[in-house]
């Protein structure tokens, strides 16, 4: 994930301004920009913040997984669960970055002879809903497994704490 997410930061959708357009010296309101600044950030700051935020979360979480794996920490169940949760975050952030980027690019695409044009918001919404359903399903499966393990642990602890029948006096 790292190369793609890092690249997303260096080359955001819409690219960068190639020139400077300075503010009017007379104070007249006009659009201005500076070379090297993101076009998307100037024109659509809310969408830009979603893309930058989600790609940053994805990049940091995937780098965290790599760091944890090479750190030499002994592998145990807790460590693997932490890695799994961090990977869920990384993959979800990557998916959000991708969807936000495609949404931005397709929303501003002109129609062409080939039929390309703005994305159907229902398709993007459907993709996001499908992703949320998959993530909720995984969460439910792991939560169910966790509850079953806790119940078994409680049951075995109670069984061990009860006095054995041959020790009970009548």
């Amino acid at each position: 994930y790292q190369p793609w997410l890092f690249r997303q930061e260096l080359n955001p959708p819409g690219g960068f301004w190639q020139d400077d357009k300075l503010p009017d010296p007379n104070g007249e309101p006009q659009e201005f920009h500076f070379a090297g600044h993101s076009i998307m950030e100037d024109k659509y700051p809310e969408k830009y913040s979603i893309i930058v935020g989600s790609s940053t979360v994805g990049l940091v979480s995937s780098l965290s997984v790599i760091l944890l794996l090479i750190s030499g920490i002994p592998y145990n169940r807790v460590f693997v669960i932490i890695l799994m949760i961090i990977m869920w975050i990384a993959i979800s952030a990557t998916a959000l970055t991708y969807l936000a980027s495609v949404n931005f690019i397709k929303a501003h695409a002109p129609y062409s002879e080939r039929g390309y044009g703005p994305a159907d918001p229902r398709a993007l919404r459907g993709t996001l809903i499908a992703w949320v359903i998959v993530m909720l399903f995984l969460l439910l499966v792991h939560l169910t497994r966790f509850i079953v393990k806790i119940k078994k642990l409680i049951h075995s602890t109670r069984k061990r704490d009860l006095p054995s029948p041959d020790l009970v006096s009548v």
Side-chain angles (χ1 to χ4, degrees):
Y1 303 114
Q2 299 87 352
W4 183 78
L5 292 167
F6 183 70
R7 190 90 176 122
Q8 186 76 13
E9 292 291 323
L10 294 179
N11 191 16
F16 295 100
W17 294 109
Q18 301 299 314
D19 62 345
D20 288 331
K21 185 175 180 185
L22 300 175
D24 188 296
N26 299 326
E28 294 294 321
Q30 73 175 31
E31 183 180 304
F32 64 92
H33 57 261
F34 302 101
H37 197 259
S38 170
I39 295 171
M40 184 181 189
E41 184 177 10
D42 285 345
K43 293 187 173 250
Y44 309 98
E46 302 85 23
K47 291 179 181 180
Y48 183 77
S49 65
I50 290 171
I51 289 174
V52 169
S54 61
S55 67
T56 301
V57 168
L59 180 65
V60 168
S61 57
S62 62
L63 289 174
S64 298
V65 167
I66 292 171
L67 184 63
L68 286 171
L69 288 172
I70 64 172
S71 67
I73 297 174
Y75 291 74
N76 59 29
R77 285 182 182 236
V78 174
F79 183 75
V80 172
I81 289 170
I82 290 170
L83 283 175
M84 181 179 63
I85 291 169
I86 294 172
M87 281 305 298
W88 283 4
I89 293 168
I91 292 170
S92 295
T94 303
L96 181 60
T97 302
Y98 175 77
L99 283 173
S101 297
V102 168
N103 184 29
F104 173 76
I105 291 167
K106 294 300 284 178
H108 303 320
Y111 285 101
S112 70
E113 298 164 2
R114 296 184 192 150
Y116 298 125
D120 183 2
R122 292 173 296 171
L124 293 172
R125 197 174 313 118
T127 304
L128 182 61
I129 290 170
W131 182 259
V132 169
I133 289 171
V134 167
M135 293 305 290
L136 287 175
F137 174 74
L138 286 172
L139 181 66
L140 182 66
V141 167
H142 285 284
L143 193 59
T144 304
R145 287 179 58 205
F146 178 72
I147 290 170
V148 167
K149 285 181 182 181
I150 294 295
K151 282 185 176 184
K152 284 182 181 178
L153 180 67
I154 291 171
H155 182 69
S156 67
T157 305
R158 282 185 183 165
K159 199 180 236 184
R160 188 179 55 214
D161 292 342
L162 290 175
S164 63
D166 55 334
L167 295 177
V168 178
S169 60
V170 184

